[in-house]
Amino acid sequence: MITVTDLRKVYRQGDRMVTALDGVSLSVPKGSIHGIIGHSGAGKSTLVRCLTLLDRPTSGSVTIDGRELTAVKDSEIRAARRRIGMVFQHANLMDSRTAAANIAHPLELVGTKKSVIDARVKELLALVGLEGSAGAYPAQLSGGQKQRVGIARALASDPDVLLCDEPTSALDPSTTDDILDLISDLTRRLDLTVLIITHEMNVVKRICDSVSLLEAGRVVEHGPLREVASDLRGRLAKQLIPLPVTPPSPGGPVLELLFTGQTTSDPVLSALTRRFDTDVNVLAGSVELLAGTRFGRLRIQLDTHTDMAAVHEYLALQGVTVEVAA
Ligand SMILES: Nc1ncnc2c1ncn2[C@@H]1O[C@H](COP(=O)(O)OP(=O)(O)OP(=O)(O)O)[C@@H](O)[C@H]1O
């Protein structure tokens, strides 16, 4: 479990103070994956540095499995950091070392016995699907394979937490999916707590259980994926289940509908046309699978004569969320 409470980081830039983190709080249960999404300058890198104690926060706390990291003395920081495995955008491997030797490096640094290291490296290579690549040098590996080595190295010290900083931003879409699936699989198998910092909503869609939207150093929306996706007015929902912009359409009222789970496969619209003797014009639509649940968004236009109060009541009864489009 990671708990971040009211984290603030203020930098001095000449005679100006820059607030990079302005009271960030979040909590990630053990065994789950939390995405932090934000644009450039939102404070993502600062958050990573504060979580790994590369930077001391100005105030607030970071607690991992009940231990307050922000309270550890400088002399204990290295040991505390070993409980956090880091995965970077570029795997940052040492070119002169083989895959196995890169993975072994953090264990060598703390003086682990060679026989123990060898067994652990073998185990880690198998865990990330690189059994046959122990002796390969980074130059001989693909981007995805390098990232697998990076993940194995991050897991070498048997951390409780995996902190992934833009882990797939340098990879092509299919390799991205493979790496995300690997992170997801490892989270379940090793009962890790994972934080993924990203600017890509696809990363959140594919593997996150919960998400926070970071903006100008503040968390402006957060929650389990299913909850934020269900909030039609929310900014995250609009990005998670995007609908194209449609030109103003003369005629009857325009509604936005959100279907979740079973309602995505119910014939709600055809029932609506029959029941209210109205025509339904579908202006835009999209269906996404998020955290194992199907979400559908539709923008529809109805006849001018339609009894809107009754339509709202009927759709609510069907479990469909309705918004009148602007
Ligand atoms: N060492 C520093 N000194 C002064 N200001 C800083 C420092 N590091 C970050 N900042 C400022 O803090 C704010 C957040 O920066 P940060 O790098 O954390 O954002 P980010 O979301 O990681 O952006 P990017 O995706 O571009 O890396 C920015 O306004 C930045 O200029």
mmCIF file of all heavy atoms in Angstrom, residues 67-115:
data_model
loop_
_atom_site.group_PDB
_atom_site.id
_atom_site.type_symbol
_atom_site.label_atom_id
_atom_site.label_comp_id
_atom_site.label_asym_id
_atom_site.label_seq_id
_atom_site.Cartn_x
_atom_site.Cartn_y
_atom_site.Cartn_z
ATOM 1 N N ARG A 67 5.303 2.272 6.548
ATOM 2 C CA ARG A 67 6.558 2.922 6.923
ATOM 3 C C ARG A 67 6.679 4.265 6.221
ATOM 4 O O ARG A 67 6.594 4.326 4.992
ATOM 5 C CB ARG A 67 7.737 2.013 6.544
ATOM 6 C CG ARG A 67 9.032 2.613 6.986
ATOM 7 C CD ARG A 67 10.137 1.591 6.969
ATOM 8 N NE ARG A 67 11.326 2.166 7.548
ATOM 9 C CZ ARG A 67 12.520 2.100 7.002
ATOM 10 N NH1 ARG A 67 12.686 1.448 5.879
ATOM 11 N NH2 ARG A 67 13.551 2.652 7.595
ATOM 12 N N GLU A 68 6.866 5.309 7.028
ATOM 13 C CA GLU A 68 6.907 6.643 6.433
ATOM 14 C C GLU A 68 8.285 6.905 5.839
ATOM 15 O O GLU A 68 9.265 7.103 6.554
ATOM 16 C CB GLU A 68 6.549 7.703 7.471
ATOM 17 C CG GLU A 68 6.292 9.025 6.789
ATOM 18 C CD GLU A 68 5.973 10.155 7.756
ATOM 19 O OE1 GLU A 68 5.360 9.893 8.806
ATOM 20 O OE2 GLU A 68 6.365 11.289 7.434
ATOM 21 N N LEU A 69 8.343 6.911 4.509
ATOM 22 C CA LEU A 69 9.626 7.105 3.813
ATOM 23 C C LEU A 69 10.186 8.497 4.047
ATOM 24 O O LEU A 69 11.388 8.692 4.172
ATOM 25 C CB LEU A 69 9.422 6.960 2.301
ATOM 26 C CG LEU A 69 9.325 5.586 1.695
ATOM 27 C CD1 LEU A 69 9.478 5.678 0.196
ATOM 28 C CD2 LEU A 69 10.406 4.678 2.258
ATOM 29 N N THR A 70 9.276 9.470 4.085
ATOM 30 C CA THR A 70 9.705 10.859 4.224
ATOM 31 C C THR A 70 10.309 11.124 5.600
ATOM 32 O O THR A 70 10.890 12.185 5.825
ATOM 33 C CB THR A 70 8.510 11.792 3.951
ATOM 34 O OG1 THR A 70 7.301 11.090 4.260
ATOM 35 C CG2 THR A 70 8.455 12.195 2.503
ATOM 36 N N ALA A 71 10.173 10.148 6.520
ATOM 37 C CA ALA A 71 10.725 10.373 7.868
ATOM 38 C C ALA A 71 12.080 9.690 8.037
ATOM 39 O O ALA A 71 12.708 9.826 9.080
ATOM 40 C CB ALA A 71 9.732 9.843 8.904
ATOM 41 N N VAL A 72 12.560 8.945 7.013
ATOM 42 C CA VAL A 72 13.828 8.223 7.213
ATOM 43 C C VAL A 72 15.008 9.193 7.165
ATOM 44 O O VAL A 72 14.970 10.216 6.483
ATOM 45 C CB VAL A 72 14.058 7.064 6.188
ATOM 46 C CG1 VAL A 72 12.931 6.074 6.220
ATOM 47 C CG2 VAL A 72 14.291 7.588 4.787
ATOM 48 N N LYS A 73 16.036 8.825 7.937
ATOM 49 C CA LYS A 73 17.233 9.693 7.985
ATOM 50 C C LYS A 73 18.005 9.552 6.671
ATOM 51 O O LYS A 73 17.895 8.544 5.985
ATOM 52 C CB LYS A 73 18.140 9.214 9.122
ATOM 53 C CG LYS A 73 17.528 9.359 10.490
ATOM 54 C CD LYS A 73 18.635 9.141 11.523
ATOM 55 C CE LYS A 73 18.089 8.528 12.788
ATOM 56 N NZ LYS A 73 18.370 7.142 13.033
ATOM 57 N N ASP A 74 18.824 10.558 6.361
ATOM 58 C CA ASP A 74 19.609 10.524 5.126
ATOM 59 C C ASP A 74 20.441 9.241 5.036
ATOM 60 O O ASP A 74 20.589 8.658 3.966
ATOM 61 C CB ASP A 74 20.532 11.749 5.032
ATOM 62 C CG ASP A 74 19.727 12.991 4.658
ATOM 63 O OD1 ASP A 74 18.536 12.826 4.296
ATOM 64 O OD2 ASP A 74 20.276 14.098 4.760
ATOM 65 N N SER A 75 20.954 8.766 6.179
ATOM 66 C CA SER A 75 21.815 7.584 6.176
ATOM 67 C C SER A 75 21.027 6.308 5.827
ATOM 68 O O SER A 75 21.606 5.292 5.470
ATOM 69 C CB SER A 75 22.486 7.422 7.537
ATOM 70 O OG SER A 75 21.485 7.354 8.532
ATOM 71 N N GLU A 76 19.697 6.381 5.943
ATOM 72 C CA GLU A 76 18.889 5.166 5.684
ATOM 73 C C GLU A 76 18.160 5.225 4.331
ATOM 74 O O GLU A 76 17.404 4.328 3.991
ATOM 75 C CB GLU A 76 17.836 5.002 6.793
ATOM 76 C CG GLU A 76 18.442 4.659 8.134
ATOM 77 C CD GLU A 76 17.420 4.811 9.270
ATOM 78 O OE1 GLU A 76 16.250 5.101 8.998
ATOM 79 O OE2 GLU A 76 17.853 4.656 10.419
ATOM 80 N N ILE A 77 18.417 6.308 3.588
ATOM 81 C CA ILE A 77 17.666 6.504 2.338
ATOM 82 C C ILE A 77 17.906 5.384 1.339
ATOM 83 O O ILE A 77 16.985 4.875 0.721
ATOM 84 C CB ILE A 77 17.987 7.893 1.721
ATOM 85 C CG1 ILE A 77 17.184 8.946 2.451
ATOM 86 C CG2 ILE A 77 17.661 7.926 0.235
ATOM 87 C CD1 ILE A 77 17.312 10.337 1.895
ATOM 88 N N ARG A 78 19.166 4.950 1.213
ATOM 89 C CA ARG A 78 19.470 3.894 0.221
ATOM 90 C C ARG A 78 18.678 2.628 0.497
ATOM 91 O O ARG A 78 18.114 2.026 -0.412
ATOM 92 C CB ARG A 78 20.951 3.566 0.248
ATOM 93 C CG ARG A 78 21.732 4.572 -0.520
ATOM 94 C CD ARG A 78 23.141 4.130 -0.682
ATOM 95 N NE ARG A 78 23.787 5.006 -1.639
ATOM 96 C CZ ARG A 78 24.833 4.682 -2.341
ATOM 97 N NH1 ARG A 78 25.354 3.492 -2.225
ATOM 98 N NH2 ARG A 78 25.363 5.536 -3.178
ATOM 99 N N ALA A 79 18.648 2.243 1.771
ATOM 100 C CA ALA A 79 17.924 1.021 2.133
ATOM 101 C C ALA A 79 16.430 1.203 1.857
ATOM 102 O O ALA A 79 15.770 0.301 1.333
ATOM 103 C CB ALA A 79 18.174 0.693 3.593
ATOM 104 N N ALA A 80 15.917 2.391 2.179
ATOM 105 C CA ALA A 80 14.487 2.661 1.966
ATOM 106 C C ALA A 80 14.162 2.620 0.477
ATOM 107 O O ALA A 80 13.115 2.112 0.065
ATOM 108 C CB ALA A 80 14.123 4.022 2.552
ATOM 109 N N ARG A 81 15.080 3.131 -0.341
ATOM 110 C CA ARG A 81 14.859 3.186 -1.785
ATOM 111 C C ARG A 81 14.800 1.794 -2.410
ATOM 112 O O ARG A 81 14.160 1.591 -3.437
ATOM 113 C CB ARG A 81 15.998 3.976 -2.418
ATOM 114 C CG ARG A 81 15.528 5.056 -3.330
ATOM 115 C CD ARG A 81 16.692 5.769 -3.940
ATOM 116 N NE ARG A 81 16.774 7.125 -3.461
ATOM 117 C CZ ARG A 81 17.894 7.794 -3.295
ATOM 118 N NH1 ARG A 81 19.050 7.238 -3.550
ATOM 119 N NH2 ARG A 81 17.877 9.027 -2.862
ATOM 120 N N ARG A 82 15.477 0.830 -1.767
ATOM 121 C CA ARG A 82 15.475 -0.533 -2.324
ATOM 122 C C ARG A 82 14.088 -1.164 -2.293
ATOM 123 O O ARG A 82 13.831 -2.159 -2.952
ATOM 124 C CB ARG A 82 16.481 -1.412 -1.582
ATOM 125 C CG ARG A 82 17.884 -1.252 -2.132
ATOM 126 C CD ARG A 82 18.758 -2.437 -1.792
ATOM 127 N NE ARG A 82 19.005 -2.545 -0.369
ATOM 128 C CZ ARG A 82 19.921 -1.849 0.283
ATOM 129 N NH1 ARG A 82 20.689 -1.009 -0.364
ATOM 130 N NH2 ARG A 82 20.081 -2.002 1.578
ATOM 131 N N ARG A 83 13.189 -0.577 -1.492
ATOM 132 C CA ARG A 83 11.834 -1.126 -1.430
ATOM 133 C C ARG A 83 10.988 -0.635 -2.607
ATOM 134 O O ARG A 83 9.845 -1.018 -2.778
ATOM 135 C CB ARG A 83 11.182 -0.726 -0.104
ATOM 136 C CG ARG A 83 12.027 -1.184 1.078
ATOM 137 C CD ARG A 83 11.393 -0.830 2.364
ATOM 138 N NE ARG A 83 10.171 -1.563 2.555
ATOM 139 C CZ ARG A 83 9.203 -1.189 3.381
ATOM 140 N NH1 ARG A 83 9.318 -0.083 4.067
ATOM 141 N NH2 ARG A 83 8.128 -1.919 3.503
ATOM 142 N N ILE A 84 11.588 0.273 -3.399
ATOM 143 C CA ILE A 84 10.882 0.795 -4.575
ATOM 144 C C ILE A 84 11.664 0.412 -5.827
ATOM 145 O O ILE A 84 12.802 0.830 -5.997
ATOM 146 C CB ILE A 84 10.788 2.337 -4.528
ATOM 147 C CG1 ILE A 84 10.153 2.792 -3.219
ATOM 148 C CG2 ILE A 84 10.017 2.870 -5.728
ATOM 149 C CD1 ILE A 84 10.124 4.292 -3.045
ATOM 150 N N GLY A 85 11.074 -0.408 -6.689
ATOM 151 C CA GLY A 85 11.717 -0.724 -7.968
ATOM 152 C C GLY A 85 11.355 0.362 -8.968
ATOM 153 O O GLY A 85 10.197 0.771 -9.041
ATOM 154 N N MET A 86 12.349 0.826 -9.714
ATOM 155 C CA MET A 86 12.087 1.904 -10.679
ATOM 156 C C MET A 86 12.190 1.390 -12.114
ATOM 157 O O MET A 86 13.175 0.743 -12.461
ATOM 158 C CB MET A 86 13.141 3.002 -10.524
ATOM 159 C CG MET A 86 12.880 4.011 -9.441
ATOM 160 S SD MET A 86 11.456 5.057 -9.790
ATOM 161 C CE MET A 86 11.916 5.883 -11.303
ATOM 162 N N VAL A 87 11.203 1.698 -12.928
ATOM 163 C CA VAL A 87 11.263 1.390 -14.359
ATOM 164 C C VAL A 87 11.187 2.732 -15.092
ATOM 165 O O VAL A 87 10.278 3.531 -14.828
ATOM 166 C CB VAL A 87 10.080 0.486 -14.775
ATOM 167 C CG1 VAL A 87 10.110 0.218 -16.273
ATOM 168 C CG2 VAL A 87 10.111 -0.827 -14.000
ATOM 169 N N PHE A 88 12.151 2.969 -15.988
ATOM 170 C CA PHE A 88 12.232 4.270 -16.652
ATOM 171 C C PHE A 88 11.742 4.180 -18.096
ATOM 172 O O PHE A 88 11.592 3.097 -18.640
ATOM 173 C CB PHE A 88 13.689 4.766 -16.660
ATOM 174 C CG PHE A 88 14.314 4.766 -15.292
ATOM 175 C CD1 PHE A 88 15.094 3.693 -14.868
ATOM 176 C CD2 PHE A 88 14.119 5.828 -14.421
ATOM 177 C CE1 PHE A 88 15.666 3.680 -13.611
ATOM 178 C CE2 PHE A 88 14.689 5.824 -13.160
ATOM 179 C CZ PHE A 88 15.462 4.744 -12.753
ATOM 180 N N GLN A 89 11.597 5.348 -18.711
ATOM 181 C CA GLN A 89 11.162 5.400 -20.115
ATOM 182 C C GLN A 89 12.153 4.652 -21.018
ATOM 183 O O GLN A 89 11.779 3.821 -21.826
ATOM 184 C CB GLN A 89 11.057 6.865 -20.551
ATOM 185 C CG GLN A 89 10.692 7.013 -22.007
ATOM 186 C CD GLN A 89 10.476 8.465 -22.399
ATOM 187 O OE1 GLN A 89 10.567 9.372 -21.573
ATOM 188 N NE2 GLN A 89 10.189 8.689 -23.651
ATOM 189 N N HIS A 90 13.428 4.965 -20.862
ATOM 190 C CA HIS A 90 14.469 4.220 -21.560
ATOM 191 C C HIS A 90 15.053 3.299 -20.494
ATOM 192 O O HIS A 90 15.272 3.743 -19.364
ATOM 193 C CB HIS A 90 15.517 5.165 -22.124
ATOM 194 C CG HIS A 90 14.915 6.132 -23.104
ATOM 195 N ND1 HIS A 90 14.576 5.766 -24.384
ATOM 196 C CD2 HIS A 90 14.542 7.427 -22.962
ATOM 197 C CE1 HIS A 90 14.027 6.802 -24.998
ATOM 198 N NE2 HIS A 90 13.996 7.820 -24.162
ATOM 199 N N ALA A 91 15.305 2.050 -20.856
ATOM 200 C CA ALA A 91 15.663 1.085 -19.815
ATOM 201 C C ALA A 91 16.937 1.481 -19.051
ATOM 202 O O ALA A 91 17.153 1.008 -17.939
ATOM 203 C CB ALA A 91 15.812 -0.293 -20.436
ATOM 204 N N ASN A 92 17.733 2.403 -19.620
ATOM 205 C CA ASN A 92 18.967 2.866 -18.953
ATOM 206 C C ASN A 92 19.869 1.698 -18.556
ATOM 207 O O ASN A 92 20.315 1.610 -17.408
ATOM 208 C CB ASN A 92 18.665 3.699 -17.694
ATOM 209 C CG ASN A 92 17.875 4.951 -18.000
ATOM 210 O OD1 ASN A 92 17.695 5.287 -19.171
ATOM 211 N ND2 ASN A 92 17.404 5.638 -16.981
ATOM 212 N N LEU A 93 20.116 0.799 -19.508
ATOM 213 C CA LEU A 93 20.988 -0.350 -19.209
ATOM 214 C C LEU A 93 22.448 0.049 -19.429
ATOM 215 O O LEU A 93 22.734 0.998 -20.163
ATOM 216 C CB LEU A 93 20.640 -1.528 -20.126
ATOM 217 C CG LEU A 93 19.184 -1.992 -20.088
ATOM 218 C CD1 LEU A 93 18.973 -3.173 -21.033
ATOM 219 C CD2 LEU A 93 18.775 -2.380 -18.667
ATOM 220 N N MET A 94 23.335 -0.704 -18.780
ATOM 221 C CA MET A 94 24.767 -0.466 -19.004
ATOM 222 C C MET A 94 25.169 -1.264 -20.251
ATOM 223 O O MET A 94 25.039 -2.498 -20.269
ATOM 224 C CB MET A 94 25.563 -0.905 -17.788
ATOM 225 C CG MET A 94 25.411 0.101 -16.653
ATOM 226 S SD MET A 94 26.323 -0.384 -15.212
ATOM 227 C CE MET A 94 25.115 -1.394 -14.397
ATOM 228 N N ASP A 95 25.653 -0.540 -21.277
ATOM 229 C CA ASP A 95 25.929 -1.169 -22.577
ATOM 230 C C ASP A 95 27.010 -2.237 -22.509
ATOM 231 O O ASP A 95 27.014 -3.181 -23.289
ATOM 232 C CB ASP A 95 26.373 -0.101 -23.595
ATOM 233 C CG ASP A 95 25.217 0.815 -23.945
ATOM 234 O OD1 ASP A 95 24.059 0.365 -23.793
ATOM 235 O OD2 ASP A 95 25.470 1.963 -24.340
ATOM 236 N N SER A 96 27.944 -2.091 -21.552
ATOM 237 C CA SER A 96 29.069 -3.028 -21.501
ATOM 238 C C SER A 96 28.708 -4.287 -20.715
ATOM 239 O O SER A 96 29.532 -5.188 -20.575
ATOM 240 C CB SER A 96 30.259 -2.345 -20.830
ATOM 241 O OG SER A 96 29.856 -1.951 -19.530
ATOM 242 N N ARG A 97 27.495 -4.341 -20.189
ATOM 243 C CA ARG A 97 27.093 -5.518 -19.407
ATOM 244 C C ARG A 97 26.009 -6.308 -20.135
ATOM 245 O O ARG A 97 25.142 -5.701 -20.776
ATOM 246 C CB ARG A 97 26.519 -5.073 -18.056
ATOM 247 C CG ARG A 97 27.581 -4.664 -17.056
ATOM 248 C CD ARG A 97 26.922 -4.225 -15.766
ATOM 249 N NE ARG A 97 27.877 -4.226 -14.670
ATOM 250 C CZ ARG A 97 27.773 -4.990 -13.592
ATOM 251 N NH1 ARG A 97 26.734 -5.798 -13.441
ATOM 252 N NH2 ARG A 97 28.680 -4.944 -12.650
ATOM 253 N N THR A 98 26.028 -7.608 -19.983
ATOM 254 C CA THR A 98 24.982 -8.447 -20.577
ATOM 255 C C THR A 98 23.663 -8.208 -19.834
ATOM 256 O O THR A 98 23.641 -7.549 -18.776
ATOM 257 C CB THR A 98 25.331 -9.941 -20.414
ATOM 258 O OG1 THR A 98 25.402 -10.201 -19.008
ATOM 259 C CG2 THR A 98 26.629 -10.299 -21.107
ATOM 260 N N ALA A 99 22.584 -8.755 -20.389
ATOM 261 C CA ALA A 99 21.279 -8.640 -19.726
ATOM 262 C C ALA A 99 21.381 -9.164 -18.297
ATOM 263 O O ALA A 99 20.951 -8.506 -17.338
ATOM 264 C CB ALA A 99 20.247 -9.442 -20.518
ATOM 265 N N ALA A 100 21.996 -10.353 -18.145
ATOM 266 C CA ALA A 100 22.107 -10.961 -16.814
ATOM 267 C C ALA A 100 22.903 -10.055 -15.873
ATOM 268 O O ALA A 100 22.517 -9.846 -14.705
ATOM 269 C CB ALA A 100 22.772 -12.330 -16.924
ATOM 270 N N ALA A 101 24.003 -9.485 -16.386
ATOM 271 C CA ALA A 101 24.851 -8.654 -15.525
ATOM 272 C C ALA A 101 24.165 -7.339 -15.156
ATOM 273 O O ALA A 101 24.380 -6.796 -14.072
ATOM 274 C CB ALA A 101 26.185 -8.385 -16.220
ATOM 275 N N ASN A 102 23.316 -6.824 -16.077
ATOM 276 C CA ASN A 102 22.547 -5.620 -15.739
ATOM 277 C C ASN A 102 21.576 -5.908 -14.601
ATOM 278 O O ASN A 102 21.423 -5.113 -13.685
ATOM 279 C CB ASN A 102 21.770 -5.129 -16.962
ATOM 280 C CG ASN A 102 22.528 -4.062 -17.742
ATOM 281 O OD1 ASN A 102 22.648 -2.922 -17.287
ATOM 282 N ND2 ASN A 102 23.079 -4.449 -18.882
ATOM 283 N N ILE A 103 20.932 -7.071 -14.681
ATOM 284 C CA ILE A 103 19.943 -7.429 -13.652
ATOM 285 C C ILE A 103 20.651 -7.668 -12.310
ATOM 286 O O ILE A 103 20.135 -7.342 -11.240
ATOM 287 C CB ILE A 103 19.146 -8.679 -14.089
ATOM 288 C CG1 ILE A 103 18.380 -8.378 -15.379
ATOM 289 C CG2 ILE A 103 18.205 -9.144 -12.996
ATOM 290 C CD1 ILE A 103 17.769 -9.597 -16.051
ATOM 291 N N ALA A 104 21.880 -8.215 -12.414
ATOM 292 C CA ALA A 104 22.634 -8.546 -11.186
ATOM 293 C C ALA A 104 23.125 -7.290 -10.460
ATOM 294 O O ALA A 104 23.371 -7.320 -9.247
ATOM 295 C CB ALA A 104 23.835 -9.420 -11.566
ATOM 296 N N HIS A 105 23.254 -6.188 -11.212
ATOM 297 C CA HIS A 105 23.940 -5.006 -10.678
ATOM 298 C C HIS A 105 23.433 -4.531 -9.305
ATOM 299 O O HIS A 105 24.227 -4.365 -8.371
ATOM 300 C CB HIS A 105 23.900 -3.876 -11.719
ATOM 301 C CG HIS A 105 24.778 -2.739 -11.364
ATOM 302 N ND1 HIS A 105 24.292 -1.467 -11.143
ATOM 303 C CD2 HIS A 105 26.110 -2.666 -11.133
ATOM 304 C CE1 HIS A 105 25.287 -0.672 -10.821
ATOM 305 N NE2 HIS A 105 26.399 -1.369 -10.817
ATOM 306 N N PRO A 106 22.108 -4.327 -9.129
ATOM 307 C CA PRO A 106 21.667 -3.840 -7.813
ATOM 308 C C PRO A 106 21.998 -4.809 -6.674
ATOM 309 O O PRO A 106 22.207 -4.383 -5.531
ATOM 310 C CB PRO A 106 20.144 -3.678 -7.955
ATOM 311 C CG PRO A 106 19.774 -4.178 -9.291
ATOM 312 C CD PRO A 106 21.002 -4.433 -10.091
ATOM 313 N N LEU A 107 22.067 -6.093 -7.000
ATOM 314 C CA LEU A 107 22.381 -7.081 -5.951
ATOM 315 C C LEU A 107 23.869 -7.044 -5.621
ATOM 316 O O LEU A 107 24.279 -7.189 -4.455
ATOM 317 C CB LEU A 107 21.953 -8.481 -6.406
ATOM 318 C CG LEU A 107 20.449 -8.624 -6.667
ATOM 319 C CD1 LEU A 107 20.118 -9.979 -7.273
ATOM 320 C CD2 LEU A 107 19.661 -8.432 -5.377
ATOM 321 N N GLU A 108 24.694 -6.822 -6.660
ATOM 322 C CA GLU A 108 26.145 -6.696 -6.418
ATOM 323 C C GLU A 108 26.430 -5.493 -5.526
ATOM 324 O O GLU A 108 27.282 -5.548 -4.640
ATOM 325 C CB GLU A 108 26.887 -6.514 -7.754
ATOM 326 C CG GLU A 108 26.901 -7.762 -8.619
ATOM 327 C CD GLU A 108 27.383 -7.489 -10.052
ATOM 328 O OE1 GLU A 108 27.791 -6.341 -10.341
ATOM 329 O OE2 GLU A 108 27.324 -8.419 -10.856
ATOM 330 N N LEU A 109 25.694 -4.413 -5.764
ATOM 331 C CA LEU A 109 25.932 -3.175 -5.006
ATOM 332 C C LEU A 109 25.736 -3.378 -3.504
ATOM 333 O O LEU A 109 26.353 -2.697 -2.697
ATOM 334 C CB LEU A 109 24.991 -2.055 -5.480
ATOM 335 C CG LEU A 109 25.305 -1.424 -6.830
ATOM 336 C CD1 LEU A 109 24.277 -0.340 -7.162
ATOM 337 C CD2 LEU A 109 26.707 -0.828 -6.842
ATOM 338 N N VAL A 110 24.862 -4.300 -3.132
ATOM 339 C CA VAL A 110 24.628 -4.508 -1.698
ATOM 340 C C VAL A 110 25.360 -5.760 -1.191
ATOM 341 O O VAL A 110 25.093 -6.256 -0.096
ATOM 342 C CB VAL A 110 23.118 -4.597 -1.351
ATOM 343 C CG1 VAL A 110 22.451 -3.259 -1.593
ATOM 344 C CG2 VAL A 110 22.410 -5.699 -2.134
ATOM 345 N N GLY A 111 26.305 -6.269 -2.013
ATOM 346 C CA GLY A 111 27.187 -7.346 -1.559
ATOM 347 C C GLY A 111 26.531 -8.709 -1.447
ATOM 348 O O GLY A 111 26.952 -9.545 -0.633
ATOM 349 N N THR A 112 25.519 -8.964 -2.274
ATOM 350 C CA THR A 112 24.862 -10.284 -2.235
ATOM 351 C C THR A 112 25.845 -11.346 -2.763
ATOM 352 O O THR A 112 26.627 -11.075 -3.676
ATOM 353 C CB THR A 112 23.589 -10.263 -3.111
ATOM 354 O OG1 THR A 112 22.820 -9.135 -2.735
ATOM 355 C CG2 THR A 112 22.765 -11.524 -2.952
ATOM 356 N N LYS A 113 25.796 -12.547 -2.185
ATOM 357 C CA LYS A 113 26.714 -13.631 -2.599
ATOM 358 C C LYS A 113 26.480 -14.014 -4.068
ATOM 359 O O LYS A 113 25.333 -14.040 -4.518
ATOM 360 C CB LYS A 113 26.447 -14.870 -1.737
ATOM 361 C CG LYS A 113 27.461 -15.003 -0.606
ATOM 362 C CD LYS A 113 27.104 -16.103 0.353
ATOM 363 C CE LYS A 113 26.924 -17.469 -0.290
ATOM 364 N NZ LYS A 113 26.486 -18.476 0.708
ATOM 365 N N LYS A 114 27.556 -14.353 -4.778
ATOM 366 C CA LYS A 114 27.448 -14.624 -6.216
ATOM 367 C C LYS A 114 26.459 -15.762 -6.518
ATOM 368 O O LYS A 114 25.662 -15.673 -7.450
ATOM 369 C CB LYS A 114 28.829 -14.947 -6.798
ATOM 370 C CG LYS A 114 28.756 -15.123 -8.303
ATOM 371 C CD LYS A 114 30.077 -15.067 -8.972
ATOM 372 C CE LYS A 114 30.000 -15.232 -10.488
ATOM 373 N NZ LYS A 114 28.916 -16.030 -11.028
ATOM 374 N N SER A 115 26.502 -16.818 -5.701
ATOM 375 C CA SER A 115 25.612 -17.953 -5.985
ATOM 376 C C SER A 115 24.144 -17.525 -5.838
ATOM 377 O O SER A 115 23.275 -17.950 -6.619
ATOM 378 C CB SER A 115 25.924 -19.115 -5.045
ATOM 379 O OG SER A 115 25.797 -18.680 -3.712
#
